[in-house]
Amino acid sequence: MFDDPFVFFALVIAIVALIFARKAMNQVAELRQRLGAIQTAPATAAAPVPPPLTPFEAFEQTLPPASTGATAPTPPPILPEVESIAPVAPPELPAQAAGGATPPPPPLPQPDRGFEETIGTRWVVWVGGLTLALGGFFMVRYSIEANLLSNEIRTALGGLFALALLLAGEWTRRKESVSSIAALPIANIPAILTAAGTAVAFATVYAAYALYGFLVPATAFIMLGLVALGTLAAALLHGPALAGLGVVGAFVTPVLVSSGNADYWALYIYLAIVTAAAFGLARVRLWRWLAVTTIVFALLWTFPCLQCGPSMVGPHAFHVLVGFILAALLVVCGFMFGPPAHQGEVEPISSGSLAAYLLGATLIVLNSFHADTALIVFGLLVAGSLAIAWRSDAAAGAVGAAAALVFVVFAEWAIRANPDMLVLPGGPPQGIGPNVTDGSVSLHLISAAIFATGFGVAGFLAQGRSMGPVIPVIWSAAAVFTPLALLVALYARIAHLDRSIPFAILAVMLAAAFAAATEILSKREDRPGLPASIALFATGTLAALALALTFALEKGWLTISLALMSAGTAWISTQRPIPFLRALAAILAGIVVLRIGYEPRIVGHAVGTTPIFNWLLWGYGIPAASFWAGSIFLRRGGDDGPLRTVEAAAILFTVLLAFMEIRHAVNNGDVYKQSAGLTEVALQVCVTLAMAIGLERLRIRTGSVIHNAGAILLTAFAGLATVFGLLLLDNPMLRWIEVGGVVINLLLLGYALPALLALLLSYAVAGHRPVTYANTIAGAALILALAYVTFEIRRMYHGPAISVGPTTGAEQYTYSIAYLAFGVILLGVGILFNSQRARLASAVVIGLTILKAFLIDMSTLTGVYRALSFMCLGLVLVAIGWLYQRILFRRQAAAPPPAPAASPGS
C-alpha cells in the first residue's frame, strides 16, 4: 500500500505528533485548573522552617508518646505523582498542622527608618538626657551667682535632683510602654535618665567636697566610689552607656579627690574593687570594650605612682598582682570564669590583659632598681602567664610578651652595670650606672635560671598539645629566645663582654639541649606548627654554638661565628628539609653583612700590620668560605631567594677580602686611608678581572643569576678603575709617579698584567655573551697593552719618573718600531691560531702606526730616523699584504667547501 518509504515515515511522524499534542493539551488544562484554585484560595504564607532542635528536645522526641504526654504527630498525606513537563509549585499545606495549631505567619519586613523618625525617636532622647544633666548643673550655677540659696541647700537640692532622675529611670524601665523602643534599643530612655542622674550625683558629691568643704577627703572618696560602683551595677539593667560612665568615673575619682598625703594602699584597694566590678560586668554582659577600657585605666594608674621611688614597691606590686589575678579569673577566655574560647586560637584581649599587667610589673622592677620584692612579683606574674597559657590557648600571646619583658628586665640590669654599651654622643644618660639599691646578683642569677628552664621546658612540652598552627610556634619561639637572651644579658653583666670559658660552656650545654629537642620533635607525627617549631629549635642550636664561640674567643669572632652558623643552617636544611632553615641561612648572612658595614675592620684597631696574615683574613676569609659552602648546600634544594642571598654574600665577602687586604698591604695597615696610588689601583684591577673570569666560568656551570650579575658588575668595576685610575688619575705620564726598575716595575703590574687578564676575560665570555661585550673587553686589553709598550719605552729613555723630560727623535722612532712589531706579532698570532679578533687588533695597531708616521714622525723626526721610520713602515705593510695573499687567503681557498645540507625529503 505504501510503495514509497518516505510516505510511510511521514505518516508515522504525524501520528506521533498528534499523540504528543493531545497529551500537552491535557497538561495545560490541568495547570489552568490549579492556577484558578490558587487564585480563588486565601493567600497564606509558607510555613516557617522550624528552628534546630536542642539535644534535650531531640532526646524527648525519641521517647514513646506516653513518656512525654503528647500524641504522635499525624503524618502528612501521600500525594499522588503527577506527570508534568514543567516544574509545578508544591501543593498548599493543610490549614491545621499536627496538633491542631495554626502556624504563625512570618513577621512583616520593617520599613526603613526615615529622617523624621530618627530625629523623633533617637536624637531627641539623647539630647533630652544631656539637657537634663546640664539643666541640673546650670541650676546650681545660677543659684550660686544669684545667691538665692545657701551652699547646704544647693548641695541638698543637687542630691535630690540626682535621686529624682535615678527614680525616673527605674520607673520608666519598669513601664515597658514608655521605655521600650524595639527598633532603636540604643536610644533607651531609662538608660539616659539613669546616666543623667549618676552624672548629677558625681557633680554633687564633688562640689560638696571641693567647693564647699562639707566632706572630708575620705568621705568624699568613699561616696564617689559608691556612686561609680552603683553606676556599674545599674549598667546590668540599663546597658553599656552607664558602664562606660561608671568605669570612667570610678578611675577618675582618685584624681578629683586628693588629701595631700598619698595613701597608696587605700588607693590600690579601691582600684582593685573597681577593677573587679568592671571585669565582672564585662564578663556577665560580654562587653569586650569594657574589659579593655578597665585594663587601660588600671595600667595608666601605674605610671604616676612610680614617681615615689623604690620605697613604695609593696602597694604597686599589690596593684599589678591583684589586677593580673582578676584578669585571669574573669577576662581570659577558656580559663576559670572567663568567656568560652575557641581551641587553637589566640584571643587578643585574653593575651593582652595579661601582657598589660606584666608590663606594669616590668615598670615597677625598672623603677625600683631591681628591688627584690619587685623582681619576685614579676617572676610570679611570668609564671602565672605560663600556667594560664598552658590551660588556655587564648592567652598564648602572653607567653611571647612575657619572654620579651624578661629580656627587657635583664638587659636593663646588664646595661646599668655597663654604661659604655650605650653608644651615645654625650655619654651615658643620667641615672645609668650601678646603684646601691640594685637587686642582688644572686637573686638575678637564680631568677634567670628559673626563667630559662621554665620557658625552655614549657615550650618543648607544649608541642603537640594544640591543634592550632600558631600556638606551638609561640611556645617554641619563647623557649628558644628566652634562654639565649638571658645568657647574653648575664654575659654582658658579669663578664663585661670579655672572654669567658664558663659562659661558653653554658652556651654549649644550651646548644646540646636545643639539638636534643630538635631530634625528638623531628621523630614525632606531623602536626600543625610542628615544622616551624623544629626549625626554631634547630636555629637555637646554631645560635647557642655561635654564642659559645663568641664567649670563648675574642670579640671579632662573633662575625665569624655568625657566618659559620649560616653555613651550618644551610647544611641542616639538607638533612632536615624545613623551608624556614633556608630563609634563616639568608638572614644570618644579612646580619654578617650589616656587621661589617658597621665596622669594616671587624676588630677595630687590632687588625695588625702583617700583610695578608692579619685579622682581615679571618674576618673576611672564613665568612666568605662559609657562604660559598652554604650556597653549595642550598643549591641542592633549588634556586630561590635564600640561595641567591647567600651567593651574593659569598661574592661580596670574597671581593671585600681582596680589596681590604690590598688596602691594608699598600697603606701599612690603614684601611681608611683617603687616597689610592697606582699600586693599589693596579692590584684592584688585576684581582677584579681575575674574579670576573672565575665567575664567568662558574656561571656557565651553575646558571646562577647572582653569578651572572656578579661577573658583569666586577667587569664594569674593572673598566671604571682602568679608565679613571690607570689611564687618568694615576697615569704615570700625567703625574709624578716612580714606576721602579726597567722591566720588573709598576708598569708590568698596572698595564701588562691587566691587559693579559682582560684578554683572557674576553675569551672566557666569547660565545656565551654578546659579541659586542667580548669585543669591548678585547679592545680594553689592546689599549692597556699599547699603554704598557708606550710606558716601557718611556721608562727606557726617562728613568723611573716618566712624566718629565723631552721626547727625542730616537724615542719617537722607537715608538714606531715597537708599534709595528706589536702589530706584526698580533697578526702572526691571528694567522697561527686563525683568530679574526687578533688580526683585527693587528690592523688597529698598524693603522695607528700609520697615523703616527704621517702626523707625528713626518713633523718631528729628521734625518735618518725619518727615513728609517717610513722605510720600516713600508716594508711591514708590504709583508702584511704578502701574508694575507699567500698564506691566509690561500688557506681559506684550499679549505673544503661545507657539505650541502640534506633536503627535508631525503
Side-chain angles (χ1 to χ4, degrees):
M1 177 177 179
F2 300 103
D3 297 333
D4 190 354
F6 292 99
V7 175
F8 175 78
F9 285 113
L11 181 61
V12 171
I13 292 173
I15 294 173
V16 172
L18 288 174
I19 294 173
F20 276 94
R22 179 63 180 172
K23 188 174 182 179
M25 293 177 64
N26 294 335
Q27 291 175 347
V28 169
E30 183 179 358
L31 291 175
R32 286 180 178 175
Q33 292 178 359
R34 291 187 179 184
L35 180 62
I38 293 173
Q39 291 177 349
T40 56
T44 58
V49 178
L53 300 178
T54 63
F56 183 77
E57 293 172 343
F59 175 76
E60 280 188 338
Q61 289 192 0
T62 60
L63 299 177
S67 61
T68 58
T71 59
T74 304
I78 301 176
L79 300 177
E81 295 184 358
V82 179
E83 184 180 1
S84 62
I85 60 174
V88 181
E92 295 292 331
L93 296 176
Q96 297 293 329
T102 303
L108 297 176
Q110 298 293 332
D112 294 336
R113 185 173 60 252
F115 179 75
E116 181 181 2
E117 184 177 357
T118 302
I119 293 292
T121 60
R122 175 176 293 191
W123 292 3
V124 168
V125 176
W126 279 107
V127 173
L130 179 61
T131 304
L132 285 173
L134 292 177
F137 298 153
F138 291 153
M139 179 59 69
V140 174
R141 180 177 179 180
Y142 172 73
S143 64
I144 294 174
E145 293 176 350
N147 199 17
L148 298 177
L149 302 171
S150 64
N151 297 337
E152 293 81 358
I153 296 178
R154 282 196 292 267
T155 303
L157 290 177
L160 292 175
F161 184 59
L163 181 61
L165 289 175
L166 294 174
L167 293 176
E170 179 62 18
W171 181 78
T172 53
R173 185 186 67 83
R174 298 188 179 187
K175 295 293 183 178
E176 184 178 0
S177 60
V178 177
S179 63
S180 178
I181 303 177
L184 301 170
I186 192 172
N188 189 271
I189 293 177
I192 300 301
L193 293 175
T194 308
T198 55
V200 174
F202 268 115
T204 301
V205 175
Y206 182 72
Y209 158 72
L211 298 180
Y212 308 133
F214 296 154
L215 303 175
V216 296
T219 305
F221 184 84
I222 293 174
M223 293 184 67
L224 287 175
L226 291 176
V227 172
L229 293 176
T231 305
L232 288 175
L236 286 171
L237 301 175
H238 295 284
L242 275 181
L245 180 62
V247 73
V248 172
F251 280 101
V252 172
T253 294
V255 179
L256 300 178
V257 180
S258 177
S259 62
N261 296 323
D263 187 353
Y264 289 104
W265 281 108
L267 170 66
Y268 285 135
I269 291 174
Y270 164 77
L271 292 179
I273 296 173
V274 172
T275 303
F279 281 166
L281 178 60
R283 172 63 185 93
V284 172
R285 301 300 296 268
L286 294 180
W287 288 339
R288 297 160 57 93
W289 64 268
L290 182 59
V292 173
T293 305
T294 305
I295 294 168
V296 170
F297 274 107
L299 182 61
L300 290 177
W301 263 113
T302 306
F303 291 96
C305 300
L306 294 177
Q307 304 300 323
C308 58
S311 59
M312 295 296 294
V313 174
H316 308 329
F318 169 79
H319 172 58
V320 297
L321 185 61
V322 171
F324 183 88
I325 294 173
L326 291 174
L329 294 176
L330 300 174
V331 177
V332 176
C333 297
F335 182 77
M336 298 300 288
F337 307 109
H342 299 284
Q343 293 296 325
E345 296 183 6
V346 179
E347 206 277 317
I349 296 180
S350 300
S351 301
S353 61
L354 302 182
Y357 287 105
L358 279 171
L359 176 60
T362 303
L363 295 175
I364 295 173
V365 172
L366 301 182
N367 186 74
S368 63
F369 302 105
H370 296 253
D372 293 348
T373 303
L375 192 61
I376 292 173
V377 172
F378 176 75
L380 291 176
L381 265 61
V382 171
S385 299
L386 296 180
I388 295 170
W390 184 270
R391 293 287 304 276
S392 174
D393 290 344
V399 176
L405 293 175
V406 165
F407 172 69
V408 168
V409 168
F410 281 85
E412 194 270 347
W413 184 61
I415 293 174
R416 186 178 295 278
N418 300 275
D420 55 333
M421 294 172 57
L422 295 177
V423 183
L424 297 175
Q430 183 179 4
I432 290 295
N435 195 288
V436 294
T437 61
D438 279 0
S440 64
V441 176
S442 301
L443 180 60
H444 281 77
L445 292 177
I446 295 173
S447 301
I450 294 175
F451 286 144
T453 305
F455 276 96
V457 173
F460 173 75
L461 296 179
Q463 304 304 313
R465 297 186 71 253
S466 175
M467 294 302 297
V470 179
I471 309 300
V473 176
I474 294 176
W475 279 102
S476 58
V480 172
F481 169 79
T482 308
L484 291 174
L486 290 175
L487 188 62
V488 172
L490 294 178
Y491 167 73
R493 169 74 187 220
I494 297 173
H496 301 285
L497 301 182
D498 291 331
R499 293 178 67 242
S500 176
I501 299 301
F503 276 100
I505 295 175
L506 288 176
V508 171
M509 294 173 60
L510 188 60
F514 287 151
T518 304
E519 286 300 316
I520 294 174
L521 293 178
S522 300
K523 298 176 181 178
R524 291 186 179 180
E525 182 182 357
D526 189 19
R527 293 176 63 91
L530 184 61
S533 298
I534 296 173
L536 286 171
F537 279 106
T539 304
T541 304
L542 298 175
L545 291 176
L547 289 177
L549 291 175
T550 305
F551 298 159
L553 303 173
E554 299 293 338
K555 297 178 183 178
W557 288 96
L558 176 61
T559 303
I560 297 175
S561 61
L562 290 175
L564 292 173
M565 182 177 168
S566 176
T569 305
W571 177 77
I572 292 176
S573 69
T574 63
Q575 306 300 317
R576 296 286 187 271
I578 303 171
F580 176 73
L581 290 178
R582 299 176 62 87
L584 178 62
I587 292 172
L588 293 172
I591 294 174
V592 177
V593 172
L594 294 177
R595 168 68 178 87
I596 64 167
Y598 172 73
E599 174 53 85
R601 298 173 300 181
I602 298 182
V603 290
H605 297 286
V607 174
T609 57
T610 305
I612 306 301
F613 297 100
N614 49 57
W615 244 103
L616 296 175
L617 179 61
W618 315 117
Y620 285 94
I622 296 179
S626 300
F627 294 144
W628 283 114
S631 66
I632 294 174
F633 294 139
L634 293 178
R635 182 163 291 280
R636 299 176 185 176
D639 189 357
D640 54 3
L643 169 63
R644 296 175 182 179
T645 302
V646 175
E647 286 180 340
I651 296 173
L652 176 63
F653 269 79
T654 305
V655 173
L656 290 178
L657 172 62
F659 285 3
M660 295 295 286
E661 286 287 8
I662 290 172
R663 284 196 64 84
H664 180 274
V666 173
N667 299 306
N668 297 322
D670 186 8
V671 297
Y672 286 159
K673 190 173 182 179
Q674 295 295 327
S675 61
L678 178 60
T679 304
E680 181 178 349
V681 175
L683 289 172
Q684 305 251 8
V685 170
C686 292
V687 171
T688 304
L689 290 173
M691 289 187 293
I693 294 172
L695 282 179
E696 289 290 349
R697 296 296 186 187
L698 183 61
R699 78 175 185 88
I700 296 173
R701 272 193 319 141
T702 63
S704 171
V705 177
I706 299 301
H707 295 163
N708 179 51
I712 295 175
L713 291 175
L714 288 176
T715 303
F717 177 81
L720 294 175
T722 299
V723 173
F724 292 101
L726 299 179
L727 299 180
L728 292 178
L729 299 178
D730 293 305
N731 191 331
M733 288 282 290
L734 304 178
R735 293 182 57 189
W736 177 278
I737 298 175
E738 292 189 1
V739 297
V742 178
V743 177
I744 307 301
N745 50 34
L746 282 180
L747 301 176
L748 183 66
L749 176 65
Y751 298 93
L753 187 55
L756 178 62
L757 291 171
L759 181 63
L760 295 176
L761 179 60
S762 68
Y763 279 99
V765 302
H768 303 287
R769 293 195 184 273
V771 178
T772 306
Y773 186 83
N775 290 339
T776 302
I777 299 174
L782 180 62
I783 294 173
L784 288 170
L786 286 174
Y788 173 68
V789 172
T790 303
F791 295 160
E792 277 292 350
I793 295 173
R794 185 79 176 175
R795 169 65 183 81
M796 292 171 56
Y797 284 93
H798 294 268
I802 65 176
S803 62
V804 295
T807 304
T808 63
E811 183 181 346
Q812 286 289 1
Y813 177 71
T814 306
Y815 288 143
S816 300
I817 295 300
Y819 293 163
L820 280 174
F822 184 47
V824 171
I825 293 173
L826 288 175
L827 179 60
V829 172
I831 293 174
L832 182 62
F833 295 99
N834 194 22
S835 172
Q836 184 183 19
R837 184 179 299 161
R839 296 196 300 270
L840 291 176
S842 172
V844 171
V845 173
I846 296 204
L848 291 175
T849 307
I850 295 173
L851 289 177
K852 179 182 181 298
F854 284 95
L855 297 178
I856 299 176
D857 293 354
M858 186 178 292
S859 59
T860 58
L861 295 180
T862 58
V864 67
Y865 288 116
R866 179 187 297 177
L868 290 175
S869 175
F870 277 88
M871 288 171 62
C872 292
L873 178 60
L875 290 174
V876 170
L877 293 177
V878 172
I880 291 173
W882 181 83
L883 288 172
Y884 269 86
Q885 294 175 7
R886 296 293 181 178
I887 299 177
L888 182 63
F889 286 103
R890 176 178 294 180
R891 179 185 300 173
Q892 293 179 355
S903 61
S906 60

